[in-house]
Amino acid sequence: MHPGPRNLITDVPGILVGNAQDAVLKSGTTVLTANKPFTASVHVMGGAPGTRETDLLAPDKSAAKIDALVLSGGSAFGLDACSGVMDGLHDAGRGFPVGPVRVPLVPGAILFDLLNGGDKGWAKNPYRALGRVAFEAAGPDFALGTEGAGTGATTAMLKGGLGSASLVLENGATVGALVAANPLGAVTTPGERHFWAAPFEIGDEFGAIGPDGAAGLGRNLQSRKIAAIQKLGGASLPPERANTTIAIVATDAALSKAQCQRIAIAGHDGIGRAIVPAHTPGDGDLVFAASSGSRQLDTPEQELAQIGHAASLCLTRAIARAIYHARPEPGDLLPCWRPR
C-alpha cells in the first residue's frame, strides 16, 4: 500500500470535496460529492451523534445511491448545510427521480463548535449558505487543517481540524479518508509532541516526530478544551457533549450498501488508534463509507477485508494530519500543534 498522488480522499476516482468556512463564525462545512450518484452507508459509535438522512443508508432501505455527504460544524444548526447542498444539486438537475421531479439525497453529520470563541450571534442560520458554497467549490484539490468542517474544531489539548489521507492497494483499488476531528479525547500523548497515530505515519505527512517512547500512557485525561469551554460558557454547561469526530472513508471498489457498512465499521478502528479516549458517551463519533463503484472486485470477501483495513489506516493518518495542519486564528481557545 502507498499513498495516492494527492494523499487525499479525492485520489479515489470520481470523488470531489469542497470546503466553505467563516473565520468570524469560527465554523464551516465540508461536502463530499461525485460525478454521479454513489453507494454509501454509515456506522455510529459515539454516544451523542447529530445526523440527517442517515436512516436511508441502512442496507435494508430502498435508496440505492446518494448524491453527496456533508460534514459540518454548528451542532444541530449545521445540519442545514445539507439543504444548501440540496439546492446546488437541484439546480444542477441531479437527484433521485420521482416521476417528473428529482430529489437530491444528502445525508450529513455535525460536530459541536458553538463554544469555541467565534461569533455565533447570527440573525439567520449561516449553514445553508455555507453548504451551497462548499458544494460549488467541490473538486479534486482541497485544503486541510483550519478549513471547512474543521475550522472551529478542537481536541482535548490542541486545535482540531480537517484531515485526509489515501492508500492505493496492491489490487489497484484506492481508499481514502476525510475527517473533521473535534474529539473529547487527545490526539497527542502528554506533552503534545507525539501523535497517537505516529506508528502509522507514512513519510513526514504529519511531522515525522515518531512514536512516544514512554510507557503507561493513556491514563492522563487532562483537557484544556473542557477548561476553556467552562470558562467561556459557564461551569454549569455540560462540556462532555461538546465534541465529535465525523468522517468519511471512500473507495473506487464496487461495493453494496452492506459492504459499505462493513467498511464504515472497520474505519472506526482509525479513530481508536488516533484519539484517546475515543467513542465516549459525549462524542458523536460517526463514519460514512462511500463507493464510487468504478472497480470490480475479483475476490470480494478477501478484498473487502483489505479495503476495511486500509480505510482504518487512512482515517488514523487523516486525524493526525487534521491537527498537524491546523493554523492559529484570532480568538482561538487552544494552541495549534507545532514541531517541538
Side-chain angles (χ1 to χ4, degrees):
M1 300 180 188
H2 59 86
R6 299 182 182 87
N7 199 17
L8 299 173
I9 196 171
T10 48
D11 287 328
V12 176
I15 296 296
L16 307 171
V17 172
N19 288 327
Q21 56 278 324
D22 183 322
V24 176
L25 185 67
K26 279 190 180 295
S27 188
T29 295
T30 298
V31 175
L32 181 145
T33 188
N35 47 23
K36 62 180 181 179
F38 56 93
T39 305
S41 193
V42 67
H43 187 66
V44 180
M45 289 189 68
T51 61
R52 171 167 158 167
E53 292 274 50
T54 50
D55 283 353
L56 62 81
L57 299 177
D60 64 326
K61 299 303 184 288
S62 60
K65 296 180 183 294
I66 62 170
D67 300 289
L69 291 166
V70 173
L71 307 179
S72 184
S75 189
F77 298 103
L79 292 174
D80 205 31
C82 298
S83 298
V85 177
M86 287 185 70
D87 291 342
L89 287 161
H90 179 267
D91 288 352
R94 294 183 56 181
F96 181 76
V98 183
V101 300
R102 287 186 173 270
V103 181
L105 300 180
V106 184
I110 48 86
L111 57 80
F112 185 98
D113 59 3
L114 297 181
L115 296 174
N116 65 357
D119 182 2
K120 306 304 193 293
W122 60 72
K124 179 181 179 181
N125 187 329
Y127 288 96
R128 185 169 191 148
L130 286 169
R132 178 66 181 261
V133 171
F135 171 74
E136 292 177 348
D141 296 301
F142 60 98
L144 303 182
T146 308
E147 304 285 345
T151 299
T154 52
T155 75
M157 303 300 287
L158 301 167
K159 280 192 73 171
L162 186 77
S164 191
S166 69
L167 283 171
V168 179
L169 281 59
E170 291 182 7
N171 65 1
T174 301
V175 178
L178 176 70
V179 62
N182 182 63
L184 176 68
V187 297
T188 51
T189 61
E192 290 76 69
R193 172 177 168 82
H194 299 275
F195 287 99
W196 289 109
F200 307 95
E201 184 177 15
I202 300 175
D204 61 353
E205 62 187 348
F206 46 88
I209 301 298
D212 194 328
L217 297 172
R219 294 176 293 169
N220 183 345
L221 301 181
Q222 179 185 0
S223 176
R224 290 193 189 107
K225 177 179 185 173
I226 289 177
I229 288 176
Q230 288 179 333
K231 183 177 180 180
L232 182 68
S236 62
L237 293 173
E240 69 277 4
R241 295 189 178 275
N243 314 285
T244 289
T245 296
I246 47 178
I248 304 168
V249 293
T251 180
D252 56 347
L255 303 179
S256 67
K257 286 173 73 176
Q259 290 171 323
C260 280
Q261 189 176 61
R262 293 306 313 175
I263 300 305
I265 292 169
H268 274 280
D269 288 351
I271 297 177
R273 293 187 186 114
I275 298 168
V276 177
H279 304 134
T280 74
D283 282 294
D285 295 346
L286 170 152
V287 177
F288 293 108
S291 164
S292 63
S294 59
R295 177 178 290 274
Q296 296 298 316
L297 300 180
D298 296 325
T299 55
E301 185 172 341
Q302 178 180 351
E303 292 175 88
L304 186 66
Q306 295 171 347
I307 292 167
H309 176 56
S312 71
L313 293 177
C314 287
L315 186 47
T316 301
R317 295 159 50 226
I319 290 168
R321 295 190 81 202
I323 282 68
Y324 175 73
H325 285 284
R327 64 179 183 270
E329 298 283 352
D332 284 348
L333 297 184
L334 300 179
C336 293
W337 187 93
R338 285 289 182 269
R340 48 184 89 184

